[in-house]
Amino acid sequence: MATASDRCRRTHNVVAQIRRGQVTGRGLTRGAQMTETLLKERDGRAKWNGIPLLLKKLFLNSHPNSDLSQCQSILKEISPLLSMEAMAIVTEEKKSNQDFTFPNTYTFDLFGGVDLLVEILMRPTLFTQKKKIKVSDDLVKDCLSILYTTCICTEGVTKRLAERSDFVLFLFTLMSNKQTFLQTATLIEDILGVKKEMIQLEDIPNLSNLVSSFDQQQLANFCRILSVTISEFDTESDDKNTLLAKNAQQKKNLAPSRAEVNQATLLNISGFIERLCKLATRKVSDTTGPSSFLQELEEWYTWLDNALVLDALMRVASEEAESSTGTWSRESSDESGLANASGRTQLPQSMKIMHEIMYKVEVLYVLCVLLMGRQRNQVHKMIAEFKLIPGLNNLFEKLIWRKHSASALVLHGHNQNCDCSPDISLKIQFLRLLQSFSDHHENKYLLLNSQELDELSVIALRANIPEVEAVVNTDRSLVCDGKKGLLTRLLQVMKKEPAESSFRFWQARAVESFLRGATSYADQMFLLRRGLLEHILYCIVDSECKSRDVLQSYFDLLGELMKFNIDAFKRFNKYVNTDEKFNIFLNQINSSLVDSNMLVRCIALSLDRFESQTDDIKVAELLSESRLLSYTSQVTIRMSFLFRLINIIHVQTLTQENVSCLNTSLVILMLARRKGKLPFYLRTLQEMEYADKYPGFLLNNFHSLLRFWQQHYLNKDKDSTCLENSSCISFSYWKETVSVLLIPDRTSPCAIISYIDEAYMDIDRELTEE
């Protein structure tokens, strides 16, 4: 007679056999191959809760010639056994992954449940029969729901499904059915999140027709999926994000990336961008729902961990409204969405707003990525034509930058100030979009209204300078309407932002992008008139901002705002009017040159220009009274900046964030070269090396950095206009100066090599990533 330990061992042997069979493909691969007697015998002892028996029954009722009618009732028995474990995740009853196991979902997967459901779903595509098999919508929904439950409860299931490209592409075909859309979208999103290789959108059958068939809610949900297919995600560690590594990768992969191909595929879908712009700028009804419902809502809001679940609730309201008021037309549903639903299910306004916010985050993200892609100009033209910017301007106060109410909904497990909450996400995504939209593009003037464009013209006229061509060419029918443009609204909220706000960084970045490109006096004055410089200085000096990210964005913005602008330097003098304030400002600059180097560059460039204009009374007056310019004019200060800038970067650690330090050091040397002082600067650097007891270290490093600079910036695909615009120095002079510094002749007074003793020479190594 078998002992309890024998029976337990046999159970483990069964499990081991199935696992081995699944790995090798030989022998026992699924529970349905076991006899019913054996399954019954083991079930109670192994605590399988009858799942293997139900799967065997499901297998027998889902063979190719069956009508699948019994499958749904079997799944109805299985589903509660699995969903109770998923519930533990949603309601946070599990304390940690280590302390909690999921035996039912594990058993379901172990005995072939996942593979069996995939087979049932794909059965209509796998067999060529005279009579096509029809899988009912309800059965499809049950299969998808159970698959999703198993994915979130059992490790490895999602990755296994992601490896089946045929199944992933098949799932997209299920999205064409409105009844199964939500379940399908949820599962696809989960699968694509772990898929190693990005899918190609052009491989999806009838993609254009599929997208065209979506209503606005479905399109917004589809954007959640698209975000994974069009973004260049860095899966490597930070060390692999160096410019050296990226350049090497680009040499290997000359063809467009999958993400770039996917972006082009989307742009080829007729009406796609137009519909995204409509969705991004769609208004929400001002009517408020019954306040008594809010408390009830918050009690069960624990379920609403993503937009898909919220969408299911909104769909209920939509369907009930349709049954009582008639089916909406496509256009009316596009424009007003669920705001006009008036059936029995009256959802409160707060939920409608949250629904809209969650969607807008996804849509703005997709538009933002497309704005940064290879087809940037095409995207710019379309979103300008479809009036995205005026539409966002009209939503600014009521939706984008609305005040938080005490009952404002946030994602479960988060608070109103969490960066993950929908309100916060919408604001950040909105600011990222503005940054991408304005950056080095003439369409940036669409952020103003007609009166503000006139103001730019008046500023140029009074200063007796030509109007910026892009201002003259701006189509007035596409700019913001109302009393204030979007840029002005942004400045207003920026000045009111609390000191600890996480938005300060993004706000400064968005405004700075408006100033990027060729320096425009009128643009600077437009912002100076609105108190921007004083706000920045208050944050840097008076509040003594500690956040490195925020400080960097403020320094960059301050540099663009003050560059070559006499009025800005005078305003600086007026604000920073004591030694104490000036020392605080300098301490902020010197505490991290990586963060402040762009400001240092702008001050050096401005000083150089002002020194060439001393016959101008205003300039001469400024030079005599400016603390900042007087401080920077000292040779010891400039040399200190130069020495530290070169010392804090190395070829192997150059990134997109710190390569500006190399360019700032080059600007200082180019200005010196113009005045014939390049040998003096190089000799002084040599003396500083010796004083630090590290002869040759700095100049060898600088030599390597400049060799990398040639490889990086002389690449035929590299856009060098940003270097010209930011410095007002022609790129040919940049190239020429680097070449002069790298001359291999030790007798040349302008060559770095002349200032490195032969004993310390170390400049012949290949520029490879270590």
Side-chain angles (χ1 to χ4, degrees):
M1 184 174 169
T3 65
S5 61
D6 289 334
R7 289 193 295 269
C8 184
R9 187 162 53 251
R10 286 174 193 166
T11 297
H12 285 300
N13 286 341
V14 169
V15 172
Q17 284 181 56
I18 294 175
R19 277 291 178 226
R20 188 162 53 248
Q22 289 170 345
V23 171
T24 63
R26 296 190 299 272
L28 197 61
T29 60
R30 61 172 66 188
Q33 293 171 299
M34 297 168 61
T35 66
E36 190 172 333
T37 304
L38 182 59
L39 289 175
K40 282 181 179 178
E41 181 192 335
R42 298 284 189 272
D43 191 88
R45 242 175 277 118
K47 296 181 181 178
W48 287 336
N49 293 320
I51 290 174
L53 284 162
L54 288 169
L55 284 175
K56 185 174 181 68
K57 188 177 176 184
L58 182 65
F59 177 76
L60 295 173
N61 282 276
S62 63
H63 58 79
N65 295 319
S66 66
D67 62 4
L68 304 177
S69 59
Q70 297 299 313
C71 292
Q72 195 170 350
S73 61
I74 300 169
L75 290 180
K76 293 294 183 191
E77 292 184 63
I78 294 175
S79 183
L81 296 171
L82 309 184
S83 61
M84 57 187 272
E85 291 170 5
M87 187 93 64
I89 292 180
V90 175
T91 57
E92 295 182 335
E93 284 178 11
K94 74 178 186 73
K95 294 193 175 148
S96 72
N97 287 330
Q98 292 76 24
D99 301 336
F100 201 92
T101 57
F102 302 106
N104 287 349
T105 46
Y106 176 83
T107 303
F108 178 79
D109 180 41
L110 174 68
F111 283 87
V114 170
D115 294 333
L116 182 53
L117 292 190
V118 170
E119 286 176 21
I120 291 172
L121 285 170
M122 295 188 70
R123 185 140 293 160
T125 68
L126 297 178
F127 297 95
T128 53
Q129 298 170 326
K130 292 180 180 178
K131 185 182 177 183
K132 279 284 182 185
I133 294 177
K134 176 74 171 75
V135 182
S136 71
D137 292 344
D138 287 338
L139 179 56
V140 170
K141 281 201 261 190
D142 287 341
C143 288
L144 293 172
S145 296
I146 291 175
L147 283 176
Y148 181 69
T149 298
T150 312
C151 282
I152 63 176
C153 293
T154 303
E155 189 178 353
V157 173
T158 315
K159 286 183 179 178
R160 210 165 70 241
L161 290 176
E163 289 168 3
R164 291 200 53 175
S165 296
D166 59 336
F167 179 62
V168 176
L169 292 175
F170 167 75
L171 283 176
F172 280 94
T173 66
L174 296 181
M175 295 184 82
S176 61
N177 185 341
K178 212 164 189 174
Q179 299 303 315
T180 60
F181 177 88
L182 287 176
Q183 289 80 2
T184 310
T186 308
L187 185 58
I188 291 176
E189 187 181 342
D190 209 45
I191 289 174
L192 294 188
V194 301
K195 192 168 174 61
K196 286 183 181 178
E197 192 175 49
M198 187 179 289
I199 68 163
Q200 294 283 200
L201 291 178
E202 60 188 11
D203 291 339
I204 297 172
N206 301 314
L207 175 66
S208 183
N209 292 337
L210 178 68
V211 174
S212 299
S213 72
F214 291 154
D215 62 24
Q216 289 294 69
Q217 290 182 50
Q218 291 173 319
L219 182 62
N221 256 324
F222 191 58
C223 285
R224 293 171 64 90
I225 294 168
L226 290 180
S227 63
V228 185
T229 69
I230 61 174
S231 306
E232 302 280 9
F233 291 117
D234 289 317
T235 54
E236 304 286 356
S237 64
D238 289 342
D239 296 338
K240 297 298 181 184
N241 290 331
T242 63
L243 292 180
L244 198 62
K246 287 181 178 178
N247 287 354
Q249 195 65 33
Q250 285 173 358
K251 286 179 183 177
K252 289 180 187 176
N253 304 325
L254 298 176
S257 67
R258 287 199 163 205
E260 289 170 333
V261 172
N262 284 341
Q263 290 172 25
T265 300
L266 287 179
L267 291 176
N268 287 330
I269 298 176
S270 177
F272 176 71
I273 297 296
E274 181 178 8
R275 291 189 67 195
L276 287 194
C277 290
K278 280 185 177 180
L279 189 49
T281 57
R282 184 174 66 175
K283 291 186 175 73
V284 182
S285 169
D286 291 330
T287 58
T288 55
S291 57
S292 60
F293 193 70
L294 283 174
Q295 183 59 41
E296 179 189 345
L297 176 68
E298 290 184 1
E299 286 176 4
W300 57 267
Y301 195 65
T302 52
W303 297 95
L304 308 183
D305 272 337
N306 62 55
L308 289 166
V309 182
L310 181 54
D311 195 40
L313 298 171
M314 300 299 284
R315 176 66 65 190
V316 171
S318 163
E319 287 169 355
E320 295 205 0
E322 285 182 31
S323 66
S324 61
T325 61
T327 306
W328 299 333
S329 69
R330 167 95 175 238
E331 276 306 306
S332 69
S333 99
D334 280 1
E335 293 302 321
S336 57
L338 292 158
N340 298 323
S342 58
R344 295 190 313 275
T345 309
Q346 279 290 328
L347 292 172
Q349 182 68 5
S350 55
M351 178 175 276
K352 292 174 187 173
I353 289 174
M354 192 57 59
H355 183 254
E356 200 64 39
I357 284 175
M358 284 175 162
Y359 279 165
K360 282 177 171 33
V361 171
E362 308 300 338
V363 173
L364 292 182
Y365 179 81
V366 169
L367 288 171
C368 188
V369 172
L370 293 174
L371 269 175
M372 295 186 290
R374 289 197 178 196
Q375 290 84 14
R376 186 189 184 207
N377 287 332
Q378 180 187 350
V379 178
H380 247 289
K381 184 179 178 183
M382 287 193 283
I383 65 177
E385 178 187 345
F386 302 133
K387 298 191 175 183
L388 175 70
I389 298 302
L392 293 176
N393 187 42
N394 293 331
L395 286 176
F396 187 82
E397 288 174 356
K398 287 190 177 178
L399 187 70
I400 298 172
W401 225 271
R402 68 198 179 102
K403 291 182 180 178
H404 285 296
S405 63
S407 61
L409 297 172
V410 294
L411 288 181
H412 178 54
H414 302 275
N415 59 57
Q416 288 177 351
N417 297 318
C418 173
D419 283 358
C420 303
S421 71
D423 265 320
I424 305 288
S425 296
L426 178 65
K427 290 177 174 63
I428 290 175
Q429 204 52 63
F430 165 78
L431 293 170
R432 289 184 65 189
L433 178 82
L434 290 195
Q435 179 186 352
S436 304
F437 183 82
S438 302
D439 194 18
H440 294 91
H441 203 284
E442 59 187 21
N443 272 355
K444 66 184 183 182
Y445 291 107
L446 297 181
L447 296 175
L448 310 183
N449 64 19
S450 290
Q451 292 77 23
E452 291 164 346
L453 285 172
D454 291 339
E455 184 181 339
L456 289 180
S457 302
V458 171
I459 292 171
L461 182 65
R462 288 179 179 172
N464 198 27
I465 57 175
E467 250 187 292
V468 175
E469 192 174 339
V471 175
V472 177
N473 294 336
T474 296
D475 185 342
R476 296 288 182 111
S477 69
L478 302 178
V479 301
C480 295
D481 48 17
K483 294 180 180 178
K484 298 167 192 167
L486 201 44
L487 182 63
T488 301
R489 291 185 191 277
L490 176 57
L491 289 173
Q492 287 179 326
V493 299
M494 185 178 180
K495 289 194 285 186
K496 295 176 184 175
E497 208 61 46
E500 69 283 358
S501 170
S502 60
F503 297 128
R504 284 184 169 213
F505 169 81
W506 296 105
Q507 289 167 338
R509 278 278 176 263
V511 177
E512 185 220 338
S513 69
F514 180 80
L515 289 172
R516 283 184 200 156
T519 303
S520 165
Y521 173 78
D523 291 356
Q524 290 173 325
M525 291 308 299
F526 179 85
L527 296 174
L528 287 170
R529 286 179 172 188
R530 285 155 176 78
L532 179 59
L533 183 134
E534 288 79 8
H535 167 72
I536 296 171
L537 291 176
Y538 170 80
C539 296
I540 294 174
V541 177
D542 292 329
S543 70
E544 292 190 62
C545 175
K546 297 293 189 292
S547 166
R548 300 303 341 158
D549 286 341
V550 172
L551 269 177
Q552 181 182 346
S553 63
Y554 279 170
F555 281 134
D556 290 353
L557 176 54
L558 188 61
E560 291 294 339
L561 192 60
M562 294 181 67
K563 195 193 307 176
F564 310 132
N565 193 304
I566 296 172
D567 300 86
F569 276 91
K570 285 186 174 181
R571 282 174 178 255
F572 180 95
N573 289 345
K574 190 174 180 180
Y575 191 94
V576 184
N577 54 6
T578 65
D579 288 340
E580 182 185 5
K581 281 188 172 184
F582 188 63
N583 287 331
I584 291 173
F585 184 76
L586 292 182
N587 286 337
Q588 290 279 48
I589 288 180
N590 287 310
S591 64
S592 177
L593 264 186
V594 172
D595 299 326
S596 62
N597 83 87
M598 292 294 290
L599 176 61
V600 170
R601 185 193 307 185
C602 291
I603 297 169
L605 286 164
S606 299
L607 175 64
D608 181 74
R609 177 175 291 190
F610 293 152
E611 285 178 339
S612 69
Q613 299 172 335
T614 50
D615 53 338
D616 186 316
I617 297 175
K618 285 185 178 180
V619 173
E621 185 182 85
L622 176 66
L623 288 171
S624 67
E625 62 186 29
S626 171
R627 293 170 185 260
L628 194 55
L629 293 174
S630 175
Y631 175 80
T632 312
S633 67
Q634 300 173 56
V635 175
T636 53
I637 298 300
R638 288 204 299 276
M639 290 308 307
S640 172
F641 279 139
L642 182 60
F643 187 87
R644 288 158 59 204
L645 284 167
I646 298 171
N647 203 32
I648 57 182
I649 49 175
H650 309 280
V651 170
Q652 277 73 28
T653 59
L654 274 181
T655 65
Q656 203 62 51
E657 291 299 311
N658 62 25
V659 72
S660 58
C661 293
L662 174 56
N663 289 323
T664 297
S665 64
L666 260 176
V667 165
I668 293 172
L669 290 176
M670 283 190 291
L671 298 179
R673 183 180 169 223
R674 277 181 176 174
K675 296 177 179 179
K677 294 183 178 179
L678 189 53
F680 168 77
Y681 274 64
L682 293 174
R683 188 163 56 252
T684 305
L685 286 176
Q686 182 189 39
E687 292 168 359
M688 294 171 80
E689 275 187 330
Y690 273 86
D692 267 11
K693 305 290 191 291
Y694 288 106
F697 176 77
L698 184 93
L699 290 173
N700 273 308
N701 183 47
F702 192 43
H703 196 280
S704 296
L705 286 166
L706 293 181
R707 284 162 62 208
F708 173 81
W709 188 95
Q710 285 184 322
Q711 288 184 11
H712 185 66
Y713 283 101
L714 301 187
N715 184 314
K716 64 180 180 179
D717 294 328
K718 191 70 181 175
D719 184 8
S720 56
T721 54
C722 59
L723 291 181
E724 283 191 332
N725 288 335
S726 69
S727 63
C728 290
I729 298 173
S730 69
F731 189 64
S732 60
Y733 196 76
W734 283 80
K735 291 190 294 184
E736 192 181 297
T737 302
V738 172
S739 296
V740 166
L741 288 166
L742 293 179
I743 290 174
D745 181 2
R746 295 185 67 83
T747 64
S748 170
C750 293
I752 293 175
I753 198 173
S754 303
Y755 300 89
I756 306 175
D757 292 342
E758 287 196 35
Y760 306 116
M761 192 77 70
D762 186 23
I763 62 175
D764 295 323
R765 288 182 302 171
E766 286 294 316
L767 292 181
T768 56
E769 189 181 18
E770 296 177 350

